[in-house]
Amino acid sequence: MIRSNTFLDEKKIHLVFEVSLWFKAVFALSEMLAGVAAYFIPPQLFLTLVLWVTREEFVEDPHDFVANLLLHTVQHLSIGTREFAAVYLLGHGVIKLWLIVGLLRERLWYYPISIVVFGAFIVYQLYRYTFTHSIWLLLITVLDVVIIALTWHEYRYLRNERRIATAGS
């Protein structure tokens, strides 16, 4: 009886893990697109786009947190920051997508590599946060911490299951 409850719990955790990976994959693709856009789209066009997207929100509430955050972010993008964001987003997205594909394919060697790489991203994001104080970096970091915890759990579970299967053969 305990085994079946544990199995159901593991299935739920695995489902959460897979859903979070798919969410992270979509996010990685959007990072890649944002990186390309940040590099090729002129800052004035970004400002125009943000003003267009947030105009109704500013009419309703001129102090709206998200709208003001977006406007402030776009207004203070230097060329160096824009180029950094473009390279970082594109590289971050490509690496994450490569790791996610390996994790979804349940290749055991991807798990420790993913934990190390996501951990390195966290360290770098926290370092960058000390300069930028960007809420976006904190949100990405929280997601990466959750993914690391789930990846560690999934790795231990799969490794154990494969040992049992090998021993039973």
Side-chain angles (χ1 to χ4, degrees), residues 89-141:
L89 288 169
L90 185 60
H92 195 249
V94 167
I95 292 168
K96 281 195 317 188
L97 199 56
W98 171 69
L99 293 170
I100 290 164
V101 168
L103 293 172
L104 288 170
R105 294 174 66 201
E106 296 184 350
R107 303 292 168 107
L108 280 182
W109 63 275
Y110 272 89
Y111 289 80
I113 290 172
S114 297
I115 291 168
V116 169
V117 171
F118 294 154
F121 283 150
I122 287 171
V123 169
Y124 186 71
Q125 288 160 191
L126 292 175
Y127 167 75
R128 285 294 297 174
Y129 178 79
T130 63
F131 296 105
T132 65
H133 304 291
S134 168
I135 190 88
W136 305 111
L137 279 174
L138 288 180
L139 293 173
I140 291 169
T141 300

